[in-house]
Amino acid sequence: MTRVSKETTRAGHIHSLHFDATGTLWIATEHGLLAKKGDQLRRFTREDGLPDDLISQVLEDNHGRLWLCSRRGFFSVAIGDLNALTDGRLPA
């Protein structure tokens, strides 16, 4: 994950918060999905493959996926894929 910066923290309105099973805080905002783990913060947007930047809700299922609600509907993404992007790897 990247260090917290002014650009990373530009969240606008926070719509939803969710702690996953590993302790990562997922933050649904009007400017993407933020992941906060410890003192590190990472933003995921359309540039990372999300269908929309406005995320209004985030929930986790029992299969390691986040379910997100946006203006384009509901979609899911594997937490492992988001972690791979954070680590500079391509999702499997």
Side-chain angles (χ1 to χ4, degrees):
M1 292 189 180
T2 58
R3 285 267 182 218
V4 174
S5 69
K6 184 177 181 180
E7 178 59 29
T8 305
T9 57
R10 184 181 67 91
H13 291 96
I14 294 174
H15 298 284
S16 177
L17 301 171
H18 175 74
F19 276 102
D20 72 14
T22 68
T24 299
L25 174 62
W26 298 96
I27 307 165
T29 78
E30 63 186 65
H31 297 292
L33 178 67
L34 301 177
K36 183 174 185 330
K37 191 167 195 170
D39 66 347
Q40 297 179 342
L41 189 68
R42 167 69 155 91
R43 176 188 311 280
F44 298 96
T45 64
R46 289 181 60 173
E47 291 180 9
D48 299 302
L50 297 183
D52 197 353
D53 285 341
L54 192 152
I55 308 298
S56 59
Q57 184 70 292
V58 58
L59 298 169
E60 180 184 12
D61 67 17
N62 293 333
H63 304 286
R65 301 188 69 77
L66 292 179
W67 287 87
L68 308 172
C69 180
S70 75
R71 294 175 292 198
R72 297 179 182 253
F74 290 96
F75 59 96
S76 68
V77 61
I79 294 172
D81 289 350
L82 295 175
N83 289 335
L85 287 172
T86 298
D87 295 341
R89 299 177 285 120
L90 293 177

